[in-house]
Amino acid sequence: MATIRFTPNLAKHRETPTIVTPGTTVREAVDGGLAQDPLLKSYVLDEQGRLRKHVNIFVDGTMVSDRSALSDPVAPGSEIYIMQALSGG
Amino acid sequence: MDRLHVGTRKGLFQFQRGKSGWAQSGPPAFLAEPVTALLEDPRDGTLYVALQHGHFGCKMHRSSDGGASWEEIPTPTYPVSDAPDAPALEMIWSLAPGGKDQPGKIWCGTIPGGLFVSHDRGSSWEINRPLWDQPSRPNWFGGGYDHAGIHSIIVDPRDPDHILIGVSCAGCWVTGDGGKSWEIVGRGMHGDYLPPDKAFDPVGQDPHLIAATASQPDRVWCQHHCGIYVSSDFGGTFTEITDVAPSNFGFAVIAHPSRPDTAWFAPAIRDAFRVPVDGRFVVTRTDDGGKSFRQQSRGLPEGLSYDLVYRHGLVCDDTGERLAMGSTTGNLWVSENGGDDWQLLSSFLPPIAQVAFA
């Protein structure tokens, strides 16, 4: 089981509980872990399932490389951190 | 209509007209979040707001109690595709209620060029495929944004299946069957940014905003990228209005709700100089169908100013006497006499995208 945690900046928009979920890839973990809250999922992925341009996902400290298919592997016990990129405005 | 919603780059503000005049009412909602569209549905009072989070995408919320509390609802989404450049929602640009006998039906115009409909107060959305699948779609292009966008949705009060939309940049489209089929209209408009032999191509046009006279909706006014136009057949054909001082460039237009020959505009110099002519900020008003215009400036800045009014930043109420105007400089004005006199409500707001009376 992997653990998904969120940037605190997302908590002002949506409840972001720590989620424990199965999955061997980021896609499986995110799809499964966020299935209960499709609106929360929409903050992370667009409707095509791609990682939003200004959102990053780290798995065990490494930024994912496949932002479209989310095929980066996830191991049992992995820590998945969903964070925002920095931008101004 | 004693309430005024103001959608800004950094939140949704509300003003209220009380015994001592207009004043801000309550704290802003969605503070620091960009508001791109809002609608208070006159049929049931539901308030809808569309946001564009910098990081987390476009979002929608609705309120059933005038903005005291909010509920997040799904946004429109584009058809899922494996294509690497599959479209995704970039901005919600316009919201319009369906007909009086269609409770809960909402139309939504977006970038990239999508028209969506909800039949359940925004709880779910479906894309209008007949428009999305138009053969001309590859020729649609962005006006100020990466992709084309639908900013104007006019539902004919005589027949809610008769709908005219404005697209930047893909001209004006009309349906007579509730969206089952669409026809490109807007003949007569020309874009001087197009190749000369394509200048009158209806699909290449950039109508910045179109607005219909509520009591006589065949009359449609258009602030186009290249001038001001008027139509007498619900947007089928347009006639250009020339010799408009101080300028025929701008984004906003109001059609008077009951006088088809009356309209207002908020001019800027031209596309490469989106500031008032000579630094003098005015509103222009015609009462004779565009034969003549007068400039309205009492209460507007007396010195140099650089305000620009976006498409949805100039509106009037049901009487046509009360107007509101918000600028990208964050100035907000109201007029109680059809634009002859303006009162500054605030000069410290974030850049204003939309104002709406309720």
Side-chain angles (χ1 to χ4, degrees):
Chain A
M1 301 289 271
T3 302
I4 301 177
R5 302 181 201 279
F6 297 89
T7 168
N9 288 338
L10 189 45
K12 80 172 183 174
H13 305 300
R14 202 84 205 151
E15 261 191 68
T16 53
T18 297
I19 296 169
V20 178
T21 180
T24 59
T25 64
V26 173
R27 169 70 68 205
E28 289 176 9
V30 170
D31 279 356
L34 277 61
Q36 297 301 312
D37 188 352
L39 288 177
L40 175 59
K41 186 177 171 182
S42 80
Y43 282 77
V44 180
L45 308 180
D46 69 18
E47 59 260 58
Q48 304 296 346
R50 298 172 300 215
L51 191 56
R52 291 197 177 279
K53 194 179 295 183
H54 299 295
V55 174
N56 284 331
I57 296 181
F58 283 76
V59 179
D60 298 325
T62 302
M63 192 162 66
V64 301
S65 58
D66 179 0
R67 299 177 60 88
S68 296
L70 306 183
S71 61
D72 291 57
V74 168
S78 279
E79 290 277 332
I80 299 172
Y81 192 72
I82 296 175
M83 61 170 288
Q84 68 178 51
L86 298 182
S87 61
Chain B
M1 301 191 120
D2 288 336
R3 283 182 300 131
L4 179 64
H5 301 295
V6 183
T8 80
R9 174 71 179 75
K10 293 178 186 287
L12 177 66
F13 296 74
Q14 194 174 100
F15 288 75
Q16 183 95 29
R17 188 174 189 273
K19 287 178 183 171
S20 54
W22 287 94
Q24 189 170 337
S25 170
F30 308 105
L31 183 63
E33 305 301 341
V35 175
T36 61
L38 64 91
L39 167 70
E40 182 162 329
D41 190 333
R43 299 166 302 180
D44 63 9
T46 304
L47 183 57
Y48 300 86
V49 64
L51 308 176
Q52 188 185 40
H53 293 295
H55 300 87
F56 303 117
C58 302
K59 307 298 169 200
M60 283 193 79
H61 300 258
R62 74 180 168 207
S63 173
S64 301
D65 53 16
S69 64
W70 293 91
E71 168 192 13
E72 185 170 357
I73 56 176
T75 63
T77 56
Y78 285 79
V80 173
S81 160
D82 290 334
D85 59 349
L89 182 64
E90 295 169 21
M91 189 164 94
I92 295 168
W93 213 0
S94 51
L95 294 164
K100 285 183 179 172
D101 59 347
Q102 297 173 326
K105 184 172 184 176
I106 308 287
W107 292 96
C108 175
T110 66
I111 300 174
L115 181 68
F116 294 83
V117 66
S118 172
H119 298 281
D120 53 11
R121 300 173 65 240
S123 294
S124 63
W125 297 93
E126 58 187 75
I127 193 168
N128 182 276
R129 288 302 307 220
L131 187 69
W132 182 247
D133 294 334
Q134 281 295 317
S136 68
R137 170 77 56 176
N139 297 326
W140 296 28
F141 58 93
Y145 297 95
D146 289 346
H147 299 102
I150 298 173
H151 46 65
S152 302
I153 304 171
I154 299 172
V155 177
D156 189 336
R158 302 164 299 191
D159 173 6
D161 286 342
H162 192 210
I163 300 166
L164 175 68
I165 63 167
V167 191
S168 292
C169 301
C172 297
W173 295 77
V174 72
T175 178
D177 53 18
K180 296 186 183 74
S181 63
W182 292 89
E183 177 191 358
I184 180 74
V185 289
R187 290 172 294 278
M189 296 193 291
H190 69 90
D192 60 17
Y193 47 83
L194 292 166
D197 62 332
K198 294 283 189 188
F200 283 89
D201 179 1
V203 180
Q205 302 306 316
D206 183 8
H208 282 172
L209 195 76
I210 52 175
T213 304
S215 66
Q216 298 181 50
D218 284 341
R219 172 52 56 90
V220 177
W221 290 91
C222 174
Q223 173 63 70
H224 186 282
H225 189 85
C226 301
I228 288 171
Y229 290 85
V230 65
S231 168
S232 300
D233 59 0
F234 201 60
T237 57
F238 281 91
T239 301
E240 186 173 12
I241 309 286
T242 56
D243 300 323
V244 182
S247 159
N248 64 356
F249 179 83
F251 290 92
V253 53
I254 308 175
H256 191 284
S258 57
R259 296 184 199 158
D261 285 344
T262 295
W264 293 263
F265 299 84
I269 298 175
R270 56 188 168 89
D271 62 353
F273 293 91
R274 299 177 182 199
V275 292
V277 177
D278 298 328
R280 183 170 170 266
F281 182 55
V282 301
V283 169
T284 54
R285 170 176 174 154
T286 179
D287 288 299
D288 54 11
K291 294 186 184 70
S292 65
F293 286 78
R294 61 192 163 98
Q295 298 179 32
Q296 299 178 307
S297 61
R298 278 204 305 269
L300 299 179
E302 293 181 0
L304 295 174
S305 74
Y306 303 97
D307 293 78
L308 180 72
V309 179
Y310 274 168
R311 287 170 170 81
H312 305 111
L314 178 63
V315 296
C316 70
D317 71 354
D318 292 342
T319 69
E321 287 299 305
R322 180 172 290 168
L323 275 63
M325 178 167 64
S327 77
T328 57
T329 309
N331 289 317
L332 177 68
W333 297 273
V334 166
S335 171
E336 304 283 356
N337 58 1
D340 284 335
D341 294 279
W342 294 91
Q343 176 196 352
L344 180 68
L345 300 192
S346 176
S347 58
F348 297 106
L349 290 170
I352 294 169
Q354 184 165 4
V355 290
F357 283 114

